[in-house]
Amino acid sequence: MTTEVKKQETSMSTPTLAPHQDAPTGHKAGRVGGGLFDPKQLVKSLPDAFRKLAPRVMAKSPVMFVVEIGSVVSTVLAIKDPGDWFGWVIAIWLWLTVLFANLAEAVAEGRGKAQADTLRKAKTDTVARRLVDGTEEQVPGTLLRIGDLVVCEAGDIIPGDGDVVEGVASVDESAITGESAPVIRESGGDRSAVTGGTKVLSDRVVIKITTKPGETFIDRMINLVEGAARQKTPNEIALNILLASLTIVFLLAVVTLQPFAIYAGAEQSLIVLTALLVCLIPTTIGALLSAIGIAGMDRLVQRNVLAMSGRAVEAAGDVSTLLLDKTGTITLGNRQAAEFVPVKGATEAEVADAAQLSSLADETPEGRSVVVLAKEKYGLRERHQGELENAEWVPFTAQTRMSGVDLTEDGAGRKVRKGATGSVIAWVREQGGTVAEDADGIANRISEAGGTPLLVAVEDARGARVLGVVHLKDVVKEGMRERFEELRRMGIKTVMITGDNPLTAKAIADEAGVDDFLAEATPEDKMTLIKREQAGGKLVAMTGDGTNDAPALAQADVGVAMNTGTSAAKEAGNMVDLDSNPTKLIEIVEIGKQLLITRGALTTFSIANDVAKYFAIIPAMFAVAYPGLDKLNIMGLASPESAILSAVVFNALVIIALVPLALKGVQYRPVSADRMLRRNLGIYGLGGLIAPFIGIKIIDLVLSLIPGIG
Amino acid sequence: MSPVLAGVLQLLALVAALALAYRPLGDYMAAVYSSDKHLRVERWIYRCIGANPSVGMRWPAYLRGVLAFSAVSVLFLYALQRLQGSLPGSLGFVSIDPDQAFNTAASFVSNTNWQSYYGEQAMGHVVQTAGLAVQNFVSAAVGIAVAVALVRGFALPRALGSARAGGTPIRSGELGNFWADLVRGTVRILIPISIVGAIVLVACGAIQNFAGIHEVGTLTGGTQQINGGAVASQEVIKELGTNGGGYFNANSAHPFENPNAFTNLFEIFLILLIPFALTRTFGRMVGSVKQGYAILATMATIWLAFVGLMMWTEFHGSGPALEAAGGAMEGKETRFGIGASSIFAVSTTLTSTGAVDSFHSSFTGFGGGVTMLGMMLGEIAPGGVGSGLYGMLIMAIIAVFIAGLMVGRTPEYLGKKLGTREIKLAACYILVTPALVLVFTALSMALPTPPDSIYNTAQNAVGGSGAHGFSDVLYAFTSGANNNGSAFAGLNADTQWYNTTIGLAMLLGRFVPMVFVLALAGSLAEQKPVPETAGTLRTEKPLFAGLLVGTIIIITGLTYFPALALGPMAEGLSS
């Protein structure tokens, strides 16, 4: 680590960022896309769809339960009058309507099941090496208790979730994250958490178990992706209530219709009334509602994010304030050397040469970036530690905050140093040298511009002196400014959190285009900010990984914990990002919104559909009694039977037709609410009004080809 | 001048007059319900009824006030009618039968004013003025009070400073004070406008006296009884409070109630005045007049569309008689013509008024359907005083909930989240009236005796009874459950069955929704408002008004489509 400021920041976020930190994922590829939908899944899920016909399962969806009762009634009627082909056909199509609804849900669940199977493979029974009073004993992993200490060495599968309390090891977490590169896990700090089912690749660690068997992260993951732990979310419950009340309204309309019809001299058969009822109640959305919810969770899982509850996914759509950690989210993980500034009397090339030499022994990303800059800008070939003879390397340490090399060239000694301002000045003075007058000025100017100055000094025949300053700069990730622009259009405020001083923070905030920033942030500051935003009625989302982030993660409405983080952080958040990519927060918000939009769009579509169905069925029922009502048959349907049948068939087929949309989700673009509403109302409102007129007519044309119907 | 042009010009004059009154009246009403001062006469009233107007009420307390007051009103009005025979100033009329007295008490307390009696042949001065006229004022004031309570639910706690009632600041979850709202609505809004309105009506020829029954000889040699009475004063509140109960059976078609074309237009103006202006009051109280304009635009769009539809069907009815008369003149006064009658009919059924200056049963099949559909929409465009606003706000909640999801946020309206509880209450609200209308109509068609009340039993082609006869019954319950009070005259509703069931429909149709509205207001008032962002559904935009119109037409239209098909549509499409 190079500077004081940097050190502060490391307490806020992990220094090592996971693989996907470079660019916001999925940004260019047309927003939140969905998983692919394979028609074969329909066939595969068929057995599940039949199993779900059990009334106990059906009762969870009031709308579809009514359809199932209707199916039973029409079947009984068809059996009582077996000669009536019309009754049989209606009964079959009503059953198909229920089946299609179940199929939609089964397909949505099926995608999670495949994932769960893969996870189960990782969860093979392990034998744990439990430490009891310093001696090891072999016990099955399932018998571990919270607080037990276990030993894992290279090749061992970690038997349960826990924290490393002793040692360092590289761990293969591909079973959970799908990422093959091993990660380092060490005792203390923010990288101590290990997950059961992952594999130790090297070294030996002692792990303190923090969860009971059966409740481990992998267990919860399996439950989540399988949908076993799925509970209806608040908005889903509210929508279900509305759908149920619409069902009651239409039930009343149909039940009371019979006395009216009898008075008009046109008594209706129970089959026709059942068909009318099923067509009117909002079956489309009723059938797809739970599939939409499962698919929403699934879209997150496909992006390696685990939502601990559907409630969190919904909340993500409502988020109005995003707290983003500067490092890794807005800027690339580390500062990079941007420029070499010589003091009076030195040249840029001299500074570059000295800086490069002194950084060869500095393995921090900052040190590497100095070498890279020297190569790219000044054409200095990278020298290797081995090719310089008589060189004594001084590696960077957090205590000295300097790195460098002592060279003996042609008998003359040359010492080069690079590091934090204070350390280098102290070194120069120690060597009896002087600090150039303008060195301070340059360093201050760099600080004010939001950068970090590193001094480069040398001691040779001319004595010890400062040569110049390396300008370390935070590099804002590409495309972030546009991203924040989009978020602003969506009505979301972005706040950058950083441990930097306000000056530095402001410079980066301006460059990245965030709305606000919190400088020199402590976990308490973060908490205060969240509470203040929430008091104003806003919903806050944040990412975090450290134990000191845990309270804020718990307080935030959407708290995304990084998988690399501590178990305390993972416990506190309501989502875990397995890729540990903080930029993903933006995608999570988009997925939340997409889930709600899909629900609204299909509800609107479903209700708008009813208009056409009335125009098909009402004239078919009553044109005999009141010939004038035939004028309502604006679609010109062939016969009363084919009209009613066409409406029922359309009602069933539209469910299957919309399964891909329910699973993929309605396309989401980050535009203002106004434009989004206009667009979706056009497609799903007007479209929902018009589509069934066309669909029913086409089905009627096909049906009328069958002799006896047309 | 052609009758069509006359109708359009009257419509324009009416719109202009309403537009002029909109802002001052709306702002004044907002001030009335936000003021913390009591008038001397109000203090005196509070002392008499023993109410403390400065106490903030949470929704259950507010609801108890509404229900207790209305229950006492029903009992009082029932007793007054039952005792009429022994009261002085009753013009010699006898006491009213129990079923009819119940029906009439329910009718006037619920702001319906369904009349199964003949005013000039049954009700004396005492019942008319001390009973019916008083209810015309207070039932209207109750409606406005409930609407204002809901508006406060939306406004709180954002508008803590302005939404004060009775001198004490409203705390979270409190909806104001029912007694203060009731008294203020009556004393500061309804009575002053009624005084001015009554003077205008008297100046134009409406009668106002306590004379007895005059018997006069007619041209054909028979005799006719002509009643005097405090007609103008009752007429004005009948329209202003969207009550609709006529002094005379002929209602606003009677020359003593509605002497000429100007008073006719003036009465329509009175009907629409407060319901439209309340949208301004709403906008003021929630701190955004634009939100009020969006609701106003929704109401005005539906109202204008219905007026247009009605004029079109009434002017263009086919058949030799209609063509000779230049339109469907049957049942309409030549003093007013087709245009003005159409505006009146639409305005009275789109509000909860139910006053008539022409006979809806005689309108064309479609025209009758338009009056029925107007009521079926829940009388929200612009609706009854107060009830129109709260009904429309409930529909707005439903529209926001369904379509609001399409902007990618859990729905919120006026900064309040529409969660499970809010949707549950709104869904219950929209269930009540359709359930009452459909179930009671179905029972009346299915039971053996009630269909005997239908006068018009023309057979249809396949031997069923006529579509118009069915419409008579459907209209009666639609009118009752929606608290309208107008009727298709082809039904003898003064039977035990209809007096009781329509009475129940009126009471349940009025007070059950109020329970849900106040519970909703309470739940909204406790919520912390969500700040508006660019991602918020903009409910003050024309797009939302359009969406709201669509939601109202589709949700309520679909509910009644089969019933309408067998009544007015069957009739209208066969001709």
Side-chain angles (χ1 to χ4, degrees):
Chain A
M1 296 300 110
T2 9
T3 67
E4 190 58 41
V5 184
K6 177 71 195 169
K7 208 173 154 200
Q8 270 182 10
E9 196 178 356
T10 51
S11 66
M12 303 286 305
S13 61
T14 33
T16 318
L17 280 139
H20 305 252
Q21 66 179 10
D22 31 27
T25 39
H27 181 217
K28 287 200 182 76
R31 319 278 148 240
V32 189
L36 289 173
F37 170 71
D38 182 0
K40 272 186 222 147
Q41 286 171 307
L42 288 179
V43 185
K44 258 199 289 185
S45 306
L46 213 50
D48 276 332
F50 274 103
R51 265 194 289 279
K52 283 173 188 287
L53 287 176
R56 197 171 38 82
V57 184
M58 291 301 298
K60 284 181 195 160
S61 163
V63 180
M64 294 319 294
F65 192 50
V66 170
V67 182
E68 188 174 40
I69 295 172
S71 313
V72 172
V73 169
S74 55
T75 311
V76 171
L77 291 172
I79 292 169
K80 276 167 76 180
D81 183 11
D84 176 25
W85 64 268
F86 181 71
W88 282 109
V89 179
I90 293 284
I92 289 168
W93 277 97
L94 293 189
W95 279 114
L96 283 177
T97 311
V98 187
L99 205 59
F100 290 167
N102 291 349
L103 204 52
E105 195 181 79
V107 169
E109 285 173 352
R111 304 210 292 182
K113 282 217 175 80
Q115 210 134 6
D117 290 342
T118 327
L119 284 171
R120 274 212 186 85
K121 278 181 201 139
K123 209 191 139 216
T124 44
D125 289 334
T126 47
V127 176
R129 294 158 60 185
R130 184 160 63 181
L131 272 182
V132 182
D133 302 326
T135 52
E136 265 182 42
E137 60 177 28
Q138 305 262 337
V139 291
T142 48
L143 290 184
L144 290 174
R145 293 282 165 271
I146 293 176
D148 282 353
L149 293 176
V150 293
V151 178
C152 284
E153 277 177 315
D156 287 349
I157 300 280
I158 295 173
D161 294 359
D163 283 322
V164 177
V165 289
E166 193 187 312
V168 183
S170 63
V171 178
D172 173 10
E173 292 194 339
S174 61
I176 291 176
T177 62
E179 176 59 50
S180 53
V183 292
I184 302 292
R185 290 286 177 257
E186 61 190 357
S187 64
D190 289 344
R191 287 186 293 171
S192 61
V194 289
T195 312
T198 58
K199 192 176 177 187
V200 176
L201 292 180
S202 70
D203 304 292
R204 173 185 186 272
V205 282
V206 177
I207 295 161
K208 188 174 186 181
I209 297 296
T210 52
T211 45
K212 276 187 242 166
E215 288 173 20
T216 62
F217 188 66
I218 216 164
D219 288 310
R220 281 193 302 173
M221 237 177 115
I222 291 170
N223 278 340
L224 279 169
V225 295
E226 266 192 340
R230 203 179 104 78
Q231 283 182 323
K232 280 191 181 137
T233 58
N235 176 260
E236 204 176 338
I237 294 171
L239 187 53
N240 249 322
I241 289 171
L242 187 67
L243 296 180
S245 72
L246 286 177
T247 307
I248 296 172
V249 166
F250 289 125
L251 195 62
L252 281 171
V254 172
V255 169
T256 57
L257 186 56
Q258 187 69 313
F260 306 167
I262 294 172
Y263 184 78
E267 186 172 354
Q268 296 298 311
S269 74
L270 208 46
I271 289 265
V272 169
L273 288 174
T274 310
L276 175 65
L277 175 66
V278 170
C279 285
L280 292 182
I281 60 178
T283 45
T284 315
I285 180 66
L288 297 174
L289 189 55
S290 85
I292 294 170
I294 298 168
M297 298 278 270
D298 189 54
R299 273 196 293 281
L300 280 178
V301 171
Q302 297 194 352
R303 278 166 187 72
N304 262 351
V305 176
L306 284 187
M308 297 304 162
S309 72
R311 190 183 284 259
V313 187
E314 248 169 37
D318 282 353
V319 159
S320 41
T321 306
L322 278 189
L323 304 191
L324 299 168
D325 274 332
K326 184 197 78 176
T327 310
T329 311
I330 295 172
T331 62
L332 293 174
N334 300 286
R335 289 144 210 268
Q336 298 194 344
E339 174 183 24
F340 300 119
V341 189
V343 297
K344 219 173 268 166
T347 65
E348 230 175 296
E350 267 181 297
V351 182
D353 181 65
Q356 191 223 34
L357 270 178
S358 56
S359 298
L360 292 176
D362 180 359
E363 285 302 325
T364 63
E366 286 85 354
R368 301 301 309 152
S369 78
V370 170
V371 176
V372 169
L373 181 73
K375 184 176 172 185
E376 283 177 355
K377 207 167 164 193
Y378 300 94
L380 289 179
R381 191 178 61 83
E382 182 179 344
R383 286 165 283 195
H384 292 285
Q385 296 190 8
E387 67 187 79
L388 293 169
E389 286 166 29
N390 307 320
E392 196 180 311
W393 299 99
V394 183
F396 175 86
T397 67
Q399 283 75 42
T400 62
R401 301 202 296 158
M402 276 195 312
S403 65
V405 62
D406 296 346
L407 293 167
T408 319
E409 294 161 327
D410 312 323
R414 181 153 81 112
K415 295 180 177 170
V416 196
R417 291 291 184 277
K418 175 224 74 189
T421 326
S423 312
V424 173
I425 290 175
W427 179 78
V428 170
R429 296 233 164 96
E430 217 170 88
Q431 311 293 321
T434 53
V435 178
E437 283 164 14
D438 55 344
D440 229 28
I442 296 170
N444 280 342
R445 215 169 50 236
I446 290 171
S447 295
E448 275 163 29
T452 310
L454 295 182
L455 288 193
V456 182
V458 68
E459 194 211 350
D460 55 14
R462 291 162 58 196
R465 64 192 187 281
V466 170
L467 282 179
V469 188
V470 179
H471 184 173
L472 283 187
K473 215 172 141 180
D474 262 318
V475 181
V476 173
K477 284 184 186 175
E478 217 178 309
M480 289 318 284
R481 186 169 259 286
E482 292 73 30
R483 211 85 208 268
F484 295 138
E485 191 62 44
E486 283 172 10
L487 287 170
R488 204 165 302 129
R489 277 203 296 276
M490 287 153 59
I492 295 172
K493 178 176 141 188
T494 44
V495 182
M496 182 180 86
I497 309 287
T498 172
D500 292 345
N501 63 58
L503 228 53
T504 313
K506 182 164 184 349
I508 297 163
D510 286 346
E511 193 184 340
V514 290
D515 296 311
D516 204 352
F517 64 88
L518 183 65
E520 288 170 351
T522 62
E524 293 73 38
D525 291 343
K526 237 178 180 174
M527 192 70 171
T528 319
L529 177 68
I530 294 175
K531 283 189 174 158
R532 196 177 64 221
E533 293 284 317
Q534 286 176 336
K538 292 184 172 162
L539 261 61
V540 182
M542 67 169 285
T543 59
D545 50 10
T547 300
N548 53 15
D549 281 336
L553 278 172
Q555 176 73 29
D557 302 281
V558 178
V560 184
M562 301 292 103
N563 191 42
T564 52
T566 58
S567 33
K570 280 153 88 173
E571 205 56 53
N574 45 18
M575 291 192 196
V576 176
D577 179 15
L578 301 175
D579 295 340
S580 305
N581 169 15
T583 316
K584 221 183 263 170
L585 194 51
I586 299 173
E587 272 178 81
I588 292 172
V589 169
E590 292 190 350
I591 289 172
K593 285 192 178 292
Q594 194 191 26
L595 171 72
L596 295 171
I597 294 173
T598 308
R599 231 179 244 161
L602 291 182
T603 308
T604 309
F605 186 86
S606 186
I607 294 172
N609 268 209
D610 278 5
V611 177
K613 292 174 194 161
Y614 265 134
F615 279 93
I617 298 182
I618 293 294
M621 289 168 89
F622 298 117
V624 179
Y626 296 115
L629 286 179
D630 198 43
K631 290 177 193 155
L632 289 179
N633 182 10
I634 54 177
M635 286 174 272
L637 303 178
S639 70
E641 286 83 8
S642 88
I644 294 169
L645 197 51
S646 300
V648 170
V649 171
F650 175 83
N651 196 48
L653 289 185
V654 79
I655 294 174
I656 283 292
L658 288 174
V659 167
L661 184 68
L663 296 187
K664 263 192 286 190
V666 168
Q667 198 189 15
Y668 173 76
R669 283 169 193 284
V671 291
S672 71
D674 259 357
R675 287 183 52 192
M676 199 136 56
L677 182 63
R678 196 175 303 271
R679 183 189 139 87
N680 288 330
L681 263 186
I683 299 177
Y684 301 98
L686 276 184
L689 218 49
I690 298 164
F693 279 101
I694 301 168
I696 291 174
K697 178 68 188 170
I698 292 174
I699 295 169
D700 175 73
L701 284 176
V702 173
L703 287 178
S704 59
L705 296 176
I706 303 169
I709 294 184
Chain B
M1 192 159 54
S2 84
V4 178
L5 181 63
V8 171
L9 287 179
Q10 293 194 47
L11 181 63
L12 289 177
L14 177 64
V15 170
L18 287 168
L20 278 178
Y22 178 73
R23 289 177 78 173
L25 179 60
D27 290 348
Y28 171 71
M29 289 193 288
V32 164
Y33 290 105
S34 307
S35 152
D36 49 11
K37 293 202 173 59
H38 302 297
L39 301 182
R40 183 173 303 168
V41 58
E42 290 170 352
R43 284 182 206 281
W44 182 78
I45 295 172
Y46 297 137
R47 258 202 302 280
C48 279
I49 59 176
N52 176 1
S54 303
V55 158
M57 292 177 168
R58 302 179 73 80
W59 79 265
Y62 204 99
L63 177 66
R64 275 198 299 277
V66 170
L67 295 182
F69 176 74
S70 302
V72 169
S73 296
V74 170
L75 291 176
F76 174 76
L77 200 50
Y78 180 81
L80 204 61
Q81 294 175 78
R82 297 285 295 131
L83 297 173
Q84 174 167 258
S86 26
L87 289 173
S90 296
L91 300 175
F93 294 139
V94 294
S95 299
I96 311 291
D97 288 339
D99 60 325
Q100 195 172 40
F102 161 73
N103 181 282
T104 306
S107 169
F108 278 75
V109 173
S110 64
N111 197 248
T112 311
N113 300 33
W114 171 268
Q115 293 163 296
S116 72
Y117 60 90
Y118 295 94
E120 55 269 54
Q121 295 168 26
M123 302 294 181
H125 290 316
V126 176
V127 175
Q128 289 271 23
T129 49
L132 305 183
V134 168
Q135 281 310 316
N136 279 352
F137 280 97
V138 291
S139 71
V142 168
I144 307 181
V146 171
V148 166
L150 178 61
V151 173
R152 288 198 189 112
F154 277 113
L156 289 175
R158 204 170 9 194
L160 269 181
S162 64
R164 289 153 66 92
T168 44
I170 293 178
R171 285 185 299 273
S172 168
E174 289 180 356
L175 302 174
N177 183 291
F178 169 68
W179 304 109
D181 291 340
L182 173 70
V183 170
R184 285 178 185 194
T186 312
V187 171
R188 297 196 207 176
I189 297 168
L190 296 171
I191 289 180
I193 302 177
S194 294
I195 291 172
V196 178
I199 292 169
V200 172
L201 285 177
V202 170
C204 294
I207 64 163
Q208 179 77 4
N209 58 42
F210 284 103
I213 301 168
H214 296 271
E215 196 161 287
V216 294
T218 65
L219 288 174
T220 51
T223 59
Q224 187 183 358
Q225 290 190 334
I226 296 179
N227 293 32
V231 176
S233 59
Q234 197 150 329
E235 185 69 12
V236 66
I237 189 61
K238 172 187 109 183
E239 318 293 10
L240 183 68
T242 60
N243 292 288
Y247 199 97
F248 301 104
N249 187 49
N251 209 300
S252 287
H254 196 293
F256 286 179
E257 290 197 12
N258 189 5
N260 55 44
F262 171 75
T263 55
N264 186 56
L265 206 57
F266 182 64
E267 289 186 6
I268 305 175
F269 168 77
L270 288 175
I271 289 174
L272 299 172
L273 182 63
I274 291 180
F276 272 131
L278 272 174
T279 58
R280 171 87 182 179
T281 311
F282 157 72
R284 277 264 158 215
M285 292 180 74
V286 299
S288 162
V289 286
K290 281 188 184 166
Q291 297 286 356
Y293 291 153
I295 297 294
L296 170 70
T298 309
M299 292 175 166
T301 305
I302 296 176
W303 177 73
L304 277 172
F306 272 58
V307 169
L309 207 62
M310 184 63 105
M311 283 204 187
W312 175 78
T313 164
E314 294 307 292
F315 275 117
H316 292 94
S318 58
L322 268 54
E323 276 155 28
M329 272 306 291
E330 184 194 316
K332 298 190 179 76
E333 284 284 307
T334 49
R335 281 176 294 155
F336 309 137
I338 291 173
S341 300
S342 297
I343 304 174
F344 200 114
V346 165
S347 301
T348 197
T349 46
L350 274 173
T351 61
S352 76
T353 312
V356 289
D357 74 344
S358 52
F359 284 80
H360 296 177
S361 182
S362 301
F363 277 50
T364 60
F366 279 132
V370 171
T371 58
M372 252 191 265
L373 185 61
M375 295 185 283
M376 287 166 174
L377 293 187
E379 294 171 353
I380 51 179
V385 286
S387 60
L389 181 62
Y390 65 67
M392 181 57 95
L393 290 177
I394 298 278
M395 285 315 294
I397 285 174
I398 301 283
V400 165
F401 185 79
I402 295 172
L405 280 173
M406 284 196 290
V407 305
R409 285 170 73 97
T410 58
E412 62 208 33
Y413 183 47
L414 302 170
K416 297 295 173 88
K417 285 261 176 217
L418 304 179
T420 313
R421 184 173 159 75
E422 288 75 22
I423 288 302
K424 202 180 280 172
L425 293 167
C428 286
Y429 179 98
I430 58 168
L431 270 177
V432 176
T433 19
L436 291 172
V437 172
L438 292 172
V439 170
F440 278 130
T441 309
L443 286 175
S444 299
M445 303 315 290
L447 292 174
T449 47
D452 295 344
S453 284
I454 301 169
Y455 296 132
N456 190 334
T457 51
Q459 304 281 298
N460 67 22
V462 291
S465 307
H468 197 84
F470 169 64
S471 291
D472 287 335
V473 179
L474 180 63
Y475 195 107
F477 286 104
T478 306
S479 172
N482 283 292
N483 301 132
N484 186 276
S486 64
F488 264 13
L491 181 78
N492 170 26
D494 186 15
T495 66
Q496 272 200 1
W497 168 256
Y498 285 107
N499 274 333
T500 312
T501 50
I502 296 177
L504 283 174
M506 290 187 289
L507 284 179
L508 297 174
R510 173 79 165 175
F511 295 106
V512 177
M514 275 186 181
V515 174
F516 298 127
V517 169
L518 288 174
L520 182 65
S523 148
L524 292 171
E526 277 160 19
Q527 265 193 46
K528 202 165 50 180
V530 182
E532 190 178 310
T533 70
T536 311
L537 175 70
R538 303 286 291 276
T539 49
E540 75 280 16
K541 295 274 180 137
L543 181 65
F544 178 73
L547 169 73
L548 187 48
V549 172
T551 309
I552 293 165
I553 300 284
I554 289 192
I555 299 246
T556 52
L558 290 180
T559 311
Y560 294 107
F561 194 101
L564 287 173
L566 289 178
M569 276 172 152
E571 193 185 343
L573 287 168
S574 326
S575 57

